[in-house]
Amino acid sequence: PEVADVPWGWLAIALTALATTALLAMAMGFSFVGGKRPGGKPHQGRSASADGGSSQRAAPGVKEVVEPTCLEEEPWCPKTDIKPWQQASQLQGCPWDFGQCESLEEALKRVWRQPMCKDLEKAFDALQARVAQLQVARVQVAVPAATHFAVVYGLHSGAELFGGAPVEHAVGLDLFGEEGSGGRGQLSPTRADGLRRRRGASSPKRVPCEAFDMKLPCLLPFYRVHDGFGVLLAAQHLPVLLSNPGDTINGSCFYVYPARFLEPPSHSLPHLVRFARVDKACCACVDSRWEEPGVVYVEKRGETTEDDEHPVLFIADTVCNIAGQR
């Protein structure tokens, strides 16, 4: 029949029955929330909490997962902890021991490991005259999983420099030459190849290492102090730089690359090993075929320029430059 033929009374009865059925269904649904299911079994979904809210209950034997409340709590976010040198022992695994140091000068000497390579003395002197505070940073990154340490030098000018932890197998490098054991160290890599020289030995011997093969042994005198050195414009840049040494972040970058980043500047120059940054368009390399190491400057377009300067002297000059001595 047409709608117009249906008596209004029947329509009212049908609508009333439909509304009653809907209300009964809703009432039965609400009776299960926070209460019990038929048979007396507790409801396993959300339950009301003491403060009036609701919380997700984990099943028995299953550890409850706590959701991060901020970006820093995300598992992939790097964790950075920076302490003044006096509190560095609080950082688990810290490679520097300042236990016997009573002044900033003594702490600096501890970092630069006495006796010092003669050709690095000017770099140390430039830092010592300009450092106002010394801090140690511990950085944990999740991808790839690694823990890095670095010293952060705060200069009187307000600028900050940083240096990585010493390469482990270079810590025991003998820097004394045949002249004896006086002063701050007698071996100059400009007169040798920077390899380990035992007292009384006629020729240098390479420092043995089973876990790591140093691509440029001539740089060991510096790597026994810092595994990389650079400029830091903000502390939050440190995790990125330590994880990706080739990156530059708003001026923060490595100027002396860590040992793990020593590699050819390009596929077309496999005999060269890049070890330092000059600027965004040029890097400093060593020709691995040379018996006497020198510096080879490689432009971004591939042009090369050879120089007789020893790589360790180049590094010393770089530290002086970024410290503001020149």
Side-chain angles (χ1 to χ4, degrees):
E2 298 295 334
V3 175
D5 298 334
V6 179
W8 290 105
W10 287 105
L11 288 176
I13 294 173
L15 292 174
T16 302
L18 182 63
T20 303
T21 302
L23 289 174
L24 287 174
M26 293 175 61
M28 293 179 66
F30 282 125
S31 67
F32 291 131
V33 178
K36 294 184 179 181
R37 294 182 180 274
K41 295 182 180 181
H43 178 58
Q44 297 297 326
R46 289 187 175 272
S47 60
S49 59
D51 57 0
S54 61
S55 60
Q56 185 72 28
R57 290 185 179 181
V62 178
K63 185 177 181 180
E64 184 176 358
V65 178
V66 179
E67 295 293 336
T69 59
C70 61
L71 181 63
E72 289 74 12
E73 293 182 0
E74 293 288 347
W76 51 264
C77 187
K79 306 296 189 297
T80 303
D81 194 2
I82 301 179
K83 301 283 188 183
W85 64 268
Q86 298 94 331
Q87 301 174 14
S89 59
Q90 299 177 14
L91 300 174
Q92 184 179 3
C94 178
W96 296 281
D97 181 11
F98 301 105
Q100 303 299 321
C101 299
E102 298 181 356
S103 65
L104 176 60
E105 180 180 358
E106 292 181 359
L108 287 171
K109 289 182 178 179
R110 182 62 57 87
V111 172
W112 282 74
R113 298 189 183 279
Q114 309 301 313
M116 189 185 308
C117 170
K118 184 177 180 180
D119 289 331
L120 291 175
E121 290 180 3
K122 61 181 179 181
F124 174 77
D125 292 339
L127 282 176
Q128 188 176 30
R130 291 164 177 79
V131 171
Q133 62 177 351
L134 187 70
Q135 296 176 302
V136 177
R138 183 177 188 266
V139 177
Q140 291 179 282
V141 293
V143 182
T147 300
H148 303 283
F149 285 90
V151 162
V152 179
Y153 298 94
L155 308 185
H156 290 290
S157 64
E160 288 187 332
L161 310 178
F162 71 97
V167 175
E168 292 183 2
H169 71 283
V171 171
L173 185 68
D174 190 348
L175 298 181
F176 291 121
E178 296 178 355
E179 297 86 351
S181 57
R184 294 160 67 177
Q186 301 299 322
L187 177 63
S188 170
T190 58
R191 299 192 302 269
D193 60 1
L195 303 181
R196 179 168 182 162
R197 180 182 293 275
R198 300 182 184 277
R199 298 180 187 179
S202 58
S203 60
K205 297 181 179 179
R206 185 169 183 176
V207 178
C209 176
E210 297 178 358
F212 185 81
D213 183 20
M214 172 64 71
K215 294 180 181 179
L216 293 179
C218 60
L219 298 182
L220 283 175
F222 179 74
Y223 284 130
R224 73 186 289 271
V225 178
H226 282 308
D227 186 16
F229 198 87
V231 174
L232 189 65
L233 271 66
Q236 58 265 32
H237 297 166
L238 200 54
V240 178
L241 296 177
L242 293 175
S243 301
N244 304 281
D247 287 358
T248 299
I249 311 172
N250 298 329
S252 297
C253 65
F254 273 101
Y255 273 93
V256 179
Y257 295 120
R260 63 185 180 277
F261 197 67
L262 298 179
E263 58 186 22
S266 66
H267 295 294
S268 61
L269 299 170
H271 57 285
L272 298 181
V273 180
R274 177 182 57 195
F275 72 93
R277 179 183 190 270
V278 178
D279 53 41
K280 64 180 180 180
C282 181
C283 64
C285 305
V286 170
D287 193 324
S288 59
R289 302 170 301 180
W290 292 355
E291 293 184 2
E292 294 295 331
V295 178
V296 181
Y297 298 95
V298 180
E299 302 291 337
K300 195 171 185 179
R301 293 175 295 179
E303 296 91 343
T304 62
T305 303
E306 297 180 1
D307 194 301
D308 292 335
E309 183 180 28
H310 193 279
V312 172
L313 281 175
F314 174 90
I315 292 175
D317 288 337
T318 297
V319 174
C320 290
N321 289 336
I322 61 179
Q325 179 173 331
R326 301 179 183 179

PDB file of all heavy atoms in Angstrom, residues 66-98:
ATOM      1  N   VAL A  66      54.849   1.064  27.941  1.00  0.00           N
ATOM      2  CA  VAL A  66      54.669   2.467  28.277  1.00  0.00           C
ATOM      3  C   VAL A  66      54.921   3.310  27.035  1.00  0.00           C
ATOM      4  O   VAL A  66      56.000   3.264  26.446  1.00  0.00           O
ATOM      5  CB  VAL A  66      55.638   2.896  29.404  1.00  0.00           C
ATOM      6  CG1 VAL A  66      55.442   4.369  29.729  1.00  0.00           C
ATOM      7  CG2 VAL A  66      55.413   2.031  30.638  1.00  0.00           C
ATOM      8  N   GLU A  67      53.942   4.043  26.614  1.00  0.00           N
ATOM      9  CA  GLU A  67      54.064   4.854  25.417  1.00  0.00           C
ATOM     10  C   GLU A  67      54.922   6.093  25.695  1.00  0.00           C
ATOM     11  O   GLU A  67      54.795   6.715  26.751  1.00  0.00           O
ATOM     12  CB  GLU A  67      52.678   5.290  24.935  1.00  0.00           C
ATOM     13  CG  GLU A  67      51.787   4.147  24.476  1.00  0.00           C
ATOM     14  CD  GLU A  67      52.308   3.482  23.223  1.00  0.00           C
ATOM     15  OE1 GLU A  67      53.048   4.160  22.472  1.00  0.00           O
ATOM     16  OE2 GLU A  67      51.988   2.311  22.992  1.00  0.00           O
ATOM     17  N   PRO A  68      55.833   6.472  24.747  1.00  0.00           N
ATOM     18  CA  PRO A  68      56.642   7.688  24.937  1.00  0.00           C
ATOM     19  C   PRO A  68      55.740   8.916  25.025  1.00  0.00           C
ATOM     20  O   PRO A  68      54.724   9.010  24.327  1.00  0.00           O
ATOM     21  CB  PRO A  68      57.510   7.728  23.668  1.00  0.00           C
ATOM     22  CG  PRO A  68      57.494   6.331  23.129  1.00  0.00           C
ATOM     23  CD  PRO A  68      56.175   5.770  23.506  1.00  0.00           C
ATOM     24  N   THR A  69      56.091   9.838  25.875  1.00  0.00           N
ATOM     25  CA  THR A  69      55.311  11.064  26.034  1.00  0.00           C
ATOM     26  C   THR A  69      55.959  12.255  25.358  1.00  0.00           C
ATOM     27  O   THR A  69      55.352  13.317  25.277  1.00  0.00           O
ATOM     28  CB  THR A  69      55.139  11.378  27.535  1.00  0.00           C
ATOM     29  OG1 THR A  69      56.436  11.521  28.145  1.00  0.00           O
ATOM     30  CG2 THR A  69      54.370  10.255  28.225  1.00  0.00           C
ATOM     31  N   CYS A  70      57.235  12.107  24.883  1.00  0.00           N
ATOM     32  CA  CYS A  70      57.902  13.190  24.172  1.00  0.00           C
ATOM     33  C   CYS A  70      58.917  12.595  23.212  1.00  0.00           C
ATOM     34  O   CYS A  70      59.218  11.401  23.264  1.00  0.00           O
ATOM     35  CB  CYS A  70      58.588  14.153  25.154  1.00  0.00           C
ATOM     36  SG  CYS A  70      59.870  13.393  26.175  1.00  0.00           S
ATOM     37  N   LEU A  71      59.454  13.425  22.328  1.00  0.00           N
ATOM     38  CA  LEU A  71      60.365  12.949  21.294  1.00  0.00           C
ATOM     39  C   LEU A  71      61.611  12.311  21.890  1.00  0.00           C
ATOM     40  O   LEU A  71      62.112  11.298  21.393  1.00  0.00           O
ATOM     41  CB  LEU A  71      60.762  14.119  20.382  1.00  0.00           C
ATOM     42  CG  LEU A  71      61.698  13.792  19.218  1.00  0.00           C
ATOM     43  CD1 LEU A  71      61.020  12.825  18.259  1.00  0.00           C
ATOM     44  CD2 LEU A  71      62.117  15.059  18.483  1.00  0.00           C
ATOM     45  N   GLU A  72      62.139  12.899  22.980  1.00  0.00           N
ATOM     46  CA  GLU A  72      63.368  12.395  23.587  1.00  0.00           C
ATOM     47  C   GLU A  72      63.216  10.991  24.134  1.00  0.00           C
ATOM     48  O   GLU A  72      64.216  10.294  24.350  1.00  0.00           O
ATOM     49  CB  GLU A  72      63.842  13.340  24.702  1.00  0.00           C
ATOM     50  CG  GLU A  72      64.391  14.677  24.208  1.00  0.00           C
ATOM     51  CD  GLU A  72      63.303  15.618  23.732  1.00  0.00           C
ATOM     52  OE1 GLU A  72      62.111  15.322  23.999  1.00  0.00           O
ATOM     53  OE2 GLU A  72      63.632  16.629  23.094  1.00  0.00           O
ATOM     54  N   GLU A  73      61.966  10.553  24.402  1.00  0.00           N
ATOM     55  CA  GLU A  73      61.746   9.211  24.946  1.00  0.00           C
ATOM     56  C   GLU A  73      61.597   8.151  23.860  1.00  0.00           C
ATOM     57  O   GLU A  73      61.499   6.968  24.175  1.00  0.00           O
ATOM     58  CB  GLU A  73      60.498   9.224  25.837  1.00  0.00           C
ATOM     59  CG  GLU A  73      60.668  10.049  27.116  1.00  0.00           C
ATOM     60  CD  GLU A  73      59.435   9.999  27.997  1.00  0.00           C
ATOM     61  OE1 GLU A  73      58.451   9.320  27.598  1.00  0.00           O
ATOM     62  OE2 GLU A  73      59.440  10.632  29.059  1.00  0.00           O
ATOM     63  N   GLU A  74      61.564   8.558  22.602  1.00  0.00           N
ATOM     64  CA  GLU A  74      61.472   7.589  21.524  1.00  0.00           C
ATOM     65  C   GLU A  74      62.733   6.720  21.509  1.00  0.00           C
ATOM     66  O   GLU A  74      63.847   7.215  21.711  1.00  0.00           O
ATOM     67  CB  GLU A  74      61.333   8.300  20.173  1.00  0.00           C
ATOM     68  CG  GLU A  74      60.024   9.060  19.996  1.00  0.00           C
ATOM     69  CD  GLU A  74      58.843   8.126  19.806  1.00  0.00           C
ATOM     70  OE1 GLU A  74      59.055   6.924  19.573  1.00  0.00           O
ATOM     71  OE2 GLU A  74      57.693   8.613  19.887  1.00  0.00           O
ATOM     72  N   PRO A  75      62.601   5.398  21.282  1.00  0.00           N
ATOM     73  CA  PRO A  75      63.766   4.499  21.353  1.00  0.00           C
ATOM     74  C   PRO A  75      64.836   4.805  20.311  1.00  0.00           C
ATOM     75  O   PRO A  75      65.998   4.505  20.521  1.00  0.00           O
ATOM     76  CB  PRO A  75      63.145   3.112  21.138  1.00  0.00           C
ATOM     77  CG  PRO A  75      61.840   3.363  20.460  1.00  0.00           C
ATOM     78  CD  PRO A  75      61.350   4.677  20.987  1.00  0.00           C
ATOM     79  N   TRP A  76      64.470   5.422  19.193  1.00  0.00           N
ATOM     80  CA  TRP A  76      65.447   5.715  18.147  1.00  0.00           C
ATOM     81  C   TRP A  76      66.162   7.039  18.364  1.00  0.00           C
ATOM     82  O   TRP A  76      67.154   7.331  17.685  1.00  0.00           O
ATOM     83  CB  TRP A  76      64.743   5.760  16.777  1.00  0.00           C
ATOM     84  CG  TRP A  76      63.537   6.651  16.746  1.00  0.00           C
ATOM     85  CD1 TRP A  76      62.243   6.284  16.913  1.00  0.00           C
ATOM     86  CD2 TRP A  76      63.524   8.073  16.564  1.00  0.00           C
ATOM     87  NE1 TRP A  76      61.406   7.370  16.835  1.00  0.00           N
ATOM     88  CE2 TRP A  76      62.161   8.490  16.619  1.00  0.00           C
ATOM     89  CE3 TRP A  76      64.507   9.030  16.349  1.00  0.00           C
ATOM     90  CZ2 TRP A  76      61.789   9.830  16.485  1.00  0.00           C
ATOM     91  CZ3 TRP A  76      64.135  10.353  16.210  1.00  0.00           C
ATOM     92  CH2 TRP A  76      62.789  10.754  16.279  1.00  0.00           C
ATOM     93  N   CYS A  77      65.692   7.840  19.293  1.00  0.00           N
ATOM     94  CA  CYS A  77      66.271   9.166  19.519  1.00  0.00           C
ATOM     95  C   CYS A  77      67.612   9.037  20.251  1.00  0.00           C
ATOM     96  O   CYS A  77      67.708   8.354  21.273  1.00  0.00           O
ATOM     97  CB  CYS A  77      65.317  10.031  20.336  1.00  0.00           C
ATOM     98  SG  CYS A  77      65.862  11.753  20.502  1.00  0.00           S
ATOM     99  N   PRO A  78      68.698   9.670  19.766  1.00  0.00           N
ATOM    100  CA  PRO A  78      69.999   9.593  20.446  1.00  0.00           C
ATOM    101  C   PRO A  78      69.922  10.150  21.867  1.00  0.00           C
ATOM    102  O   PRO A  78      69.181  11.094  22.140  1.00  0.00           O
ATOM    103  CB  PRO A  78      70.920  10.445  19.564  1.00  0.00           C
ATOM    104  CG  PRO A  78      70.237  10.503  18.239  1.00  0.00           C
ATOM    105  CD  PRO A  78      68.770  10.465  18.522  1.00  0.00           C
ATOM    106  N   LYS A  79      70.709   9.563  22.745  1.00  0.00           N
ATOM    107  CA  LYS A  79      70.771  10.021  24.131  1.00  0.00           C
ATOM    108  C   LYS A  79      72.137  10.664  24.368  1.00  0.00           C
ATOM    109  O   LYS A  79      73.177  10.014  24.165  1.00  0.00           O
ATOM    110  CB  LYS A  79      70.565   8.849  25.102  1.00  0.00           C
ATOM    111  CG  LYS A  79      69.288   8.047  24.856  1.00  0.00           C
ATOM    112  CD  LYS A  79      68.041   8.865  25.070  1.00  0.00           C
ATOM    113  CE  LYS A  79      66.775   7.994  25.026  1.00  0.00           C
ATOM    114  NZ  LYS A  79      66.566   7.365  23.716  1.00  0.00           N
ATOM    115  N   THR A  80      72.159  11.915  24.761  1.00  0.00           N
ATOM    116  CA  THR A  80      73.400  12.648  24.976  1.00  0.00           C
ATOM    117  C   THR A  80      73.500  13.081  26.435  1.00  0.00           C
ATOM    118  O   THR A  80      72.557  13.678  26.972  1.00  0.00           O
ATOM    119  CB  THR A  80      73.489  13.888  24.069  1.00  0.00           C
ATOM    120  OG1 THR A  80      73.375  13.479  22.698  1.00  0.00           O
ATOM    121  CG2 THR A  80      74.815  14.609  24.258  1.00  0.00           C
ATOM    122  N   ASP A  81      74.622  12.783  27.053  1.00  0.00           N
ATOM    123  CA  ASP A  81      74.867  13.174  28.443  1.00  0.00           C
ATOM    124  C   ASP A  81      76.209  13.899  28.485  1.00  0.00           C
ATOM    125  O   ASP A  81      77.234  13.345  28.090  1.00  0.00           O
ATOM    126  CB  ASP A  81      74.889  11.940  29.348  1.00  0.00           C
ATOM    127  CG  ASP A  81      74.807  12.317  30.824  1.00  0.00           C
ATOM    128  OD1 ASP A  81      74.704  13.519  31.136  1.00  0.00           O
ATOM    129  OD2 ASP A  81      74.851  11.398  31.669  1.00  0.00           O
ATOM    130  N   ILE A  82      76.205  15.139  28.929  1.00  0.00           N
ATOM    131  CA  ILE A  82      77.420  15.963  28.960  1.00  0.00           C
ATOM    132  C   ILE A  82      77.710  16.352  30.401  1.00  0.00           C
ATOM    133  O   ILE A  82      76.831  16.857  31.110  1.00  0.00           O
ATOM    134  CB  ILE A  82      77.269  17.219  28.085  1.00  0.00           C
ATOM    135  CG1 ILE A  82      76.977  16.822  26.632  1.00  0.00           C
ATOM    136  CG2 ILE A  82      78.523  18.073  28.147  1.00  0.00           C
ATOM    137  CD1 ILE A  82      76.794  18.005  25.696  1.00  0.00           C
ATOM    138  N   LYS A  83      78.947  16.103  30.824  1.00  0.00           N
ATOM    139  CA  LYS A  83      79.371  16.415  32.189  1.00  0.00           C
ATOM    140  C   LYS A  83      80.650  17.251  32.156  1.00  0.00           C
ATOM    141  O   LYS A  83      81.474  17.107  31.239  1.00  0.00           O
ATOM    142  CB  LYS A  83      79.667  15.126  32.970  1.00  0.00           C
ATOM    143  CG  LYS A  83      78.503  14.147  33.083  1.00  0.00           C
ATOM    144  CD  LYS A  83      77.497  14.596  34.110  1.00  0.00           C
ATOM    145  CE  LYS A  83      76.443  13.510  34.342  1.00  0.00           C
ATOM    146  NZ  LYS A  83      75.402  13.967  35.303  1.00  0.00           N
ATOM    147  N   PRO A  84      80.858  18.120  33.137  1.00  0.00           N
ATOM    148  CA  PRO A  84      82.161  18.769  33.256  1.00  0.00           C
ATOM    149  C   PRO A  84      83.235  17.745  33.561  1.00  0.00           C
ATOM    150  O   PRO A  84      82.938  16.667  34.081  1.00  0.00           O
ATOM    151  CB  PRO A  84      81.957  19.761  34.410  1.00  0.00           C
ATOM    152  CG  PRO A  84      80.782  19.235  35.175  1.00  0.00           C
ATOM    153  CD  PRO A  84      79.902  18.549  34.176  1.00  0.00           C
ATOM    154  N   TRP A  85      84.479  18.053  33.245  1.00  0.00           N
ATOM    155  CA  TRP A  85      85.537  17.054  33.381  1.00  0.00           C
ATOM    156  C   TRP A  85      85.646  16.522  34.799  1.00  0.00           C
ATOM    157  O   TRP A  85      86.033  15.373  35.002  1.00  0.00           O
ATOM    158  CB  TRP A  85      86.875  17.629  32.909  1.00  0.00           C
ATOM    159  CG  TRP A  85      87.412  18.787  33.720  1.00  0.00           C
ATOM    160  CD1 TRP A  85      87.217  20.111  33.510  1.00  0.00           C
ATOM    161  CD2 TRP A  85      88.252  18.696  34.882  1.00  0.00           C
ATOM    162  NE1 TRP A  85      87.864  20.867  34.458  1.00  0.00           N
ATOM    163  CE2 TRP A  85      88.516  20.017  35.306  1.00  0.00           C
ATOM    164  CE3 TRP A  85      88.801  17.637  35.596  1.00  0.00           C
ATOM    165  CZ2 TRP A  85      89.312  20.305  36.413  1.00  0.00           C
ATOM    166  CZ3 TRP A  85      89.596  17.919  36.708  1.00  0.00           C
ATOM    167  CH2 TRP A  85      89.852  19.240  37.096  1.00  0.00           C
ATOM    168  N   GLN A  86      85.287  17.348  35.799  1.00  0.00           N
ATOM    169  CA  GLN A  86      85.366  16.882  37.191  1.00  0.00           C
ATOM    170  C   GLN A  86      84.384  15.743  37.475  1.00  0.00           C
ATOM    171  O   GLN A  86      84.576  14.976  38.412  1.00  0.00           O
ATOM    172  CB  GLN A  86      85.094  18.040  38.157  1.00  0.00           C
ATOM    173  CG  GLN A  86      86.097  19.175  38.079  1.00  0.00           C
ATOM    174  CD  GLN A  86      85.641  20.288  37.137  1.00  0.00           C
ATOM    175  OE1 GLN A  86      84.913  20.012  36.177  1.00  0.00           O
ATOM    176  NE2 GLN A  86      86.057  21.499  37.398  1.00  0.00           N
ATOM    177  N   GLN A  87      83.306  15.641  36.673  1.00  0.00           N
ATOM    178  CA  GLN A  87      82.284  14.611  36.891  1.00  0.00           C
ATOM    179  C   GLN A  87      82.294  13.558  35.787  1.00  0.00           C
ATOM    180  O   GLN A  87      81.351  12.773  35.655  1.00  0.00           O
ATOM    181  CB  GLN A  87      80.903  15.260  36.966  1.00  0.00           C
ATOM    182  CG  GLN A  87      80.759  16.301  38.066  1.00  0.00           C
ATOM    183  CD  GLN A  87      79.419  17.020  38.008  1.00  0.00           C
ATOM    184  OE1 GLN A  87      78.497  16.592  37.318  1.00  0.00           O
ATOM    185  NE2 GLN A  87      79.310  18.129  38.732  1.00  0.00           N
ATOM    186  N   ALA A  88      83.340  13.507  35.008  1.00  0.00           N
ATOM    187  CA  ALA A  88      83.395  12.585  33.872  1.00  0.00           C
ATOM    188  C   ALA A  88      83.327  11.121  34.311  1.00  0.00           C
ATOM    189  O   ALA A  88      82.868  10.264  33.555  1.00  0.00           O
ATOM    190  CB  ALA A  88      84.661  12.824  33.062  1.00  0.00           C
ATOM    191  N   SER A  89      83.759  10.828  35.530  1.00  0.00           N
ATOM    192  CA  SER A  89      83.732   9.444  36.003  1.00  0.00           C
ATOM    193  C   SER A  89      82.302   8.920  36.148  1.00  0.00           C
ATOM    194  O   SER A  89      82.091   7.705  36.239  1.00  0.00           O
ATOM    195  CB  SER A  89      84.452   9.341  37.355  1.00  0.00           C
ATOM    196  OG  SER A  89      83.834  10.176  38.329  1.00  0.00           O
ATOM    197  N   GLN A  90      81.314   9.818  36.157  1.00  0.00           N
ATOM    198  CA  GLN A  90      79.925   9.395  36.251  1.00  0.00           C
ATOM    199  C   GLN A  90      79.393   8.833  34.924  1.00  0.00           C
ATOM    200  O   GLN A  90      78.331   8.221  34.884  1.00  0.00           O
ATOM    201  CB  GLN A  90      79.051  10.573  36.689  1.00  0.00           C
ATOM    202  CG  GLN A  90      79.402  11.139  38.053  1.00  0.00           C
ATOM    203  CD  GLN A  90      78.560  12.344  38.422  1.00  0.00           C
ATOM    204  OE1 GLN A  90      77.538  12.619  37.793  1.00  0.00           O
ATOM    205  NE2 GLN A  90      78.975  13.073  39.444  1.00  0.00           N
ATOM    206  N   LEU A  91      80.144   9.059  33.849  1.00  0.00           N
ATOM    207  CA  LEU A  91      79.756   8.557  32.538  1.00  0.00           C
ATOM    208  C   LEU A  91      80.348   7.163  32.354  1.00  0.00           C
ATOM    209  O   LEU A  91      81.569   7.008  32.285  1.00  0.00           O
ATOM    210  CB  LEU A  91      80.259   9.497  31.431  1.00  0.00           C
ATOM    211  CG  LEU A  91      79.746  10.933  31.491  1.00  0.00           C
ATOM    212  CD1 LEU A  91      80.428  11.782  30.429  1.00  0.00           C
ATOM    213  CD2 LEU A  91      78.231  10.968  31.312  1.00  0.00           C
ATOM    214  N   GLN A  92      79.497   6.168  32.296  1.00  0.00           N
ATOM    215  CA  GLN A  92      79.958   4.784  32.177  1.00  0.00           C
ATOM    216  C   GLN A  92      80.779   4.588  30.907  1.00  0.00           C
ATOM    217  O   GLN A  92      80.364   4.944  29.820  1.00  0.00           O
ATOM    218  CB  GLN A  92      78.765   3.832  32.176  1.00  0.00           C
ATOM    219  CG  GLN A  92      79.152   2.364  32.146  1.00  0.00           C
ATOM    220  CD  GLN A  92      77.939   1.455  32.179  1.00  0.00           C
ATOM    221  OE1 GLN A  92      76.808   1.926  32.175  1.00  0.00           O
ATOM    222  NE2 GLN A  92      78.169   0.162  32.207  1.00  0.00           N
ATOM    223  N   GLY A  93      81.981   4.017  31.080  1.00  0.00           N
ATOM    224  CA  GLY A  93      82.846   3.740  29.944  1.00  0.00           C
ATOM    225  C   GLY A  93      83.696   4.899  29.505  1.00  0.00           C
ATOM    226  O   GLY A  93      84.355   4.816  28.458  1.00  0.00           O
ATOM    227  N   CYS A  94      83.728   5.991  30.260  1.00  0.00           N
ATOM    228  CA  CYS A  94      84.498   7.179  29.872  1.00  0.00           C
ATOM    229  C   CYS A  94      85.967   6.815  29.677  1.00  0.00           C
ATOM    230  O   CYS A  94      86.595   6.214  30.559  1.00  0.00           O
ATOM    231  CB  CYS A  94      84.372   8.269  30.929  1.00  0.00           C
ATOM    232  SG  CYS A  94      85.337   9.762  30.557  1.00  0.00           S
ATOM    233  N   PRO A  95      86.568   7.165  28.528  1.00  0.00           N
ATOM    234  CA  PRO A  95      87.959   6.778  28.268  1.00  0.00           C
ATOM    235  C   PRO A  95      88.995   7.668  28.944  1.00  0.00           C
ATOM    236  O   PRO A  95      90.174   7.348  28.912  1.00  0.00           O
ATOM    237  CB  PRO A  95      88.061   6.902  26.740  1.00  0.00           C
ATOM    238  CG  PRO A  95      87.070   7.961  26.400  1.00  0.00           C
ATOM    239  CD  PRO A  95      85.938   7.802  27.368  1.00  0.00           C
ATOM    240  N   TRP A  96      88.567   8.778  29.548  1.00  0.00           N
ATOM    241  CA  TRP A  96      89.505   9.683  30.197  1.00  0.00           C
ATOM    242  C   TRP A  96      89.377   9.565  31.718  1.00  0.00           C
ATOM    243  O   TRP A  96      88.281   9.521  32.268  1.00  0.00           O
ATOM    244  CB  TRP A  96      89.250  11.133  29.789  1.00  0.00           C
ATOM    245  CG  TRP A  96      89.476  11.368  28.326  1.00  0.00           C
ATOM    246  CD1 TRP A  96      90.678  11.524  27.691  1.00  0.00           C
ATOM    247  CD2 TRP A  96      88.483  11.469  27.303  1.00  0.00           C
ATOM    248  NE1 TRP A  96      90.492  11.714  26.349  1.00  0.00           N
ATOM    249  CE2 TRP A  96      89.154  11.679  26.082  1.00  0.00           C
ATOM    250  CE3 TRP A  96      87.085  11.388  27.300  1.00  0.00           C
ATOM    251  CZ2 TRP A  96      88.474  11.830  24.873  1.00  0.00           C
ATOM    252  CZ3 TRP A  96      86.410  11.522  26.103  1.00  0.00           C
ATOM    253  CH2 TRP A  96      87.108  11.746  24.909  1.00  0.00           C
ATOM    254  N   ASP A  97      90.508   9.537  32.386  1.00  0.00           N
ATOM    255  CA  ASP A  97      90.548   9.457  33.840  1.00  0.00           C
ATOM    256  C   ASP A  97      91.141  10.750  34.384  1.00  0.00           C
ATOM    257  O   ASP A  97      92.327  11.021  34.229  1.00  0.00           O
ATOM    258  CB  ASP A  97      91.391   8.257  34.288  1.00  0.00           C
ATOM    259  CG  ASP A  97      91.455   8.119  35.805  1.00  0.00           C
ATOM    260  OD1 ASP A  97      90.692   8.823  36.491  1.00  0.00           O
ATOM    261  OD2 ASP A  97      92.273   7.321  36.289  1.00  0.00           O
ATOM    262  N   PHE A  98      90.301  11.570  35.010  1.00  0.00           N
ATOM    263  CA  PHE A  98      90.751  12.840  35.564  1.00  0.00           C
ATOM    264  C   PHE A  98      90.882  12.765  37.083  1.00  0.00           C
ATOM    265  O   PHE A  98      90.878  13.784  37.761  1.00  0.00           O
ATOM    266  CB  PHE A  98      89.759  13.954  35.194  1.00  0.00           C
ATOM    267  CG  PHE A  98      89.575  14.145  33.710  1.00  0.00           C
ATOM    268  CD1 PHE A  98      88.425  13.698  33.073  1.00  0.00           C
ATOM    269  CD2 PHE A  98      90.554  14.771  32.954  1.00  0.00           C
ATOM    270  CE1 PHE A  98      88.252  13.878  31.707  1.00  0.00           C
ATOM    271  CE2 PHE A  98      90.398  14.963  31.591  1.00  0.00           C
ATOM    272  CZ  PHE A  98      89.240  14.516  30.964  1.00  0.00           C
TER     273      PHE A  98
END
